[in-house]
Amino acid sequence: MQGRKRLPRAVRLLIVARAVNRLGAFSLSFVTVLITTRFGASSAVAGCVSAAFGLATIPSRLVGGRLADRIGRRRTIVVGLTGCAVAQLGLAAADSLTPAICFAVLLGLVFEIYEPPSQAMIADVLTPSEHVRAYGLLNAALAAAGMGAGLVAAGLGRWDLRWLFVVDALTCLLCALTVRLVLPADHRTTAAAAPDQTPAVTPWRDRALLLMLATGTLFAVIYLQIMITLPLSMDHEGLRPTDAGLLFTTSALTISAGQPLLRWSRLSMLSAPVAFAAGYLLLALGLGGYALAHNLTAYLAATVVWSAGDLLLVGRAYAVVARLAPPGGRGRYLAVYGTSWGIAGIAAPLMGTQLIEHAGPAGLWSAMALVSLLLAALQPTLVRGATFHGNDHQLDSAPAELQDERAG
């Protein structure tokens, strides 16, 4: 019955605000296009700018985690979104290549600041048993908003690319204003802990967190291969690369439509190790389907399968990391785990293009399926150890919840 309880108002409002922001977050895909078409830069220069952006997102997320624990969740979200708006407006107004590059890098430096406090705020107001559903709902809301973002981008992009960045900036400001007005104010508790309350364990010295970071990076590499190299893969198979948009929409629909299934008792009662194993097996099966696919129907079927695996995976990973964090350290722990996406953002394009060039699409997706099978074997063991370790951290701060879980 717990899975049927309504989420707290603060969580629901945060998810809605993030969805509004995601509705406008389509400009990032067009940074390289803007640089090449408006300023005449080469593809190599545009690629370097894109890589610099990806690299900048790593310290961005770490800064967001530290600020979330120091100045509060709501303030950090507002700061990050406002910074994104400033950088995007700067890109839209840039009249030469140099300022455009500077604002693109600035966008990377502020782009991930609001992620750790958003995730930490969800963990703050919910019991551990509700974390998976809340993170899954956030993921589904962002996926659904992403579908609308593609339609908005298609319309505005035909007019002037700069308007993409203007509208994106406006949605950032609207989200920041919503967060500022409707979410609970920050309190000087964990966000401003006294020196003697600072957690003894730092994120980069926590072995359990680092193991989760390693597996999270592998997952992010797999996921970004789909986002980045799927159009190229379809082109090699003689299909239209633009049909990848249909596959992305299918994935978003699967994740959104699958959310009610997480309330079913059989799924909600799955232990984290079993859910991770099942999720990665489905992911491997879907990617294996890509390796064998030669028509759009086969690609669509494989997309539904791996998206079902994603439904089981994403929320649980953040829930495990939130449980690992000591009192007052959730923002930093979630930020460190989140750097997996920045690392993968650098590695995935290089790895994917090389695999397609030397092994073809079948080789690429077969390799990704094998990595998924490896994660299916390793992740359950890591999660068992991480859960026990996390209970040790949080026992004093939430004794009733965690002692009940240990007893179970």
Side-chain angles (χ1 to χ4, degrees):
M1 297 294 292
Q2 267 189 328
R4 295 184 175 88
K5 286 167 54 179
R6 196 177 190 187
L7 293 175
R9 180 173 178 269
V11 174
R12 288 184 279 116
L13 289 173
L14 175 62
I15 290 174
V16 170
R18 288 294 310 277
V20 170
N21 174 231
R22 181 68 181 89
L23 188 62
F26 43 69
S27 64
L28 180 60
S29 301
F30 298 91
V31 171
T32 54
V33 179
L34 180 72
I35 288 175
T36 55
T37 59
R38 180 167 173 76
F39 304 114
S42 67
S43 297
V45 171
C48 289
V49 174
S50 181
F53 171 89
L55 185 62
T57 61
I58 296 176
S60 171
R61 194 177 280 258
L62 294 175
V63 168
R66 183 162 290 275
L67 288 177
D69 290 338
R70 289 294 181 89
I71 68 173
R73 318 308 197 200
R74 191 178 73 174
R75 293 187 188 95
T76 304
I77 295 172
V78 171
V79 167
L81 289 169
T82 303
C84 287
V86 170
Q88 287 159 342
L89 290 174
L91 273 169
D95 57 1
S96 64
L97 181 60
T98 298
I101 292 175
C102 291
F103 280 115
V105 174
L106 174 62
L107 181 60
L109 290 172
V110 296
F111 191 74
E112 300 281 0
I113 286 178
Y114 58 80
E115 284 288 358
S118 298
Q119 295 158 359
M121 182 177 285
I122 289 174
D124 289 343
V125 299
L126 296 173
T127 62
S129 62
E130 297 174 306
H131 288 173
V132 173
R133 183 162 69 98
Y135 287 128
L137 185 59
L138 175 62
N139 185 48
L142 296 181
M147 291 188 290
L151 297 176
V152 175
L156 289 175
R158 297 177 186 275
W159 185 15
D160 190 327
L161 282 178
R162 289 175 297 176
W163 281 107
L164 296 177
F165 298 91
V166 173
V167 172
D168 199 348
L170 292 177
T171 61
C172 284
L173 292 175
L174 178 60
C175 182
L177 181 62
T178 303
V179 168
R180 177 65 180 82
L181 293 178
V182 305
L183 292 188
D186 296 312
H187 299 291
R188 297 186 63 84
T189 53
T190 59
D196 60 342
Q197 294 175 302
T198 302
V201 180
T202 61
W204 294 108
R205 295 180 180 178
D206 191 322
R207 183 173 177 272
L209 175 63
L210 295 181
L211 289 172
M212 286 295 296
L213 172 60
T215 56
T217 300
L218 288 177
F219 170 74
V221 167
I222 295 170
Y223 199 88
L224 290 180
Q225 292 298 348
I226 299 172
M227 298 297 106
I228 296 171
T229 58
L230 184 56
L232 184 60
S233 171
M234 297 179 71
D235 185 52
H236 274 67
E237 292 291 345
L239 302 173
R240 288 183 299 182
T242 52
D243 282 343
L246 179 60
L247 300 183
F248 297 147
T249 301
T250 300
S251 175
L253 286 172
T254 302
I255 293 171
S256 300
Q259 287 302 309
L261 296 178
L262 295 178
R263 296 187 178 188
W264 286 11
S265 59
R266 291 195 177 186
L267 284 180
S268 63
M269 295 300 292
L270 282 179
S271 66
V274 172
F276 273 110
Y280 280 120
L281 286 174
L282 286 170
L283 185 61
L285 185 60
L287 295 175
Y290 278 171
L292 299 174
H294 297 291
N295 56 61
L296 184 58
T297 302
Y299 270 101
L300 285 169
T303 298
V304 172
V305 174
W306 73 253
S307 298
D310 181 66
L311 187 67
L312 291 174
L313 293 171
V314 174
R316 293 186 185 273
Y318 288 112
V320 170
V321 173
R323 186 174 299 181
L324 276 175
R330 276 181 178 150
R332 285 172 295 150
Y333 267 61
L334 288 163
V336 169
Y337 178 74
T339 60
S340 57
W341 291 96
I343 298 169
I346 299 171
L350 300 175
M351 183 186 303
T353 52
Q354 289 297 311
L355 281 171
I356 284 184
E357 181 177 347
H358 293 97
L364 167 66
W365 301 121
S366 296
M368 294 301 103
L370 288 174
V371 175
S372 298
L373 290 175
L374 176 64
L375 287 171
L378 292 178
Q379 189 82 58
T381 301
L382 296 180
V383 169
R384 288 189 190 98
T387 301
F388 182 83
H389 180 62
N391 286 347
D392 285 341
H393 272 326
Q394 297 189 39
L395 189 58
D396 292 335
S397 62
E401 295 165 5
L402 292 176
Q403 285 176 359
D404 287 345
E405 285 198 351
R406 269 195 171 176

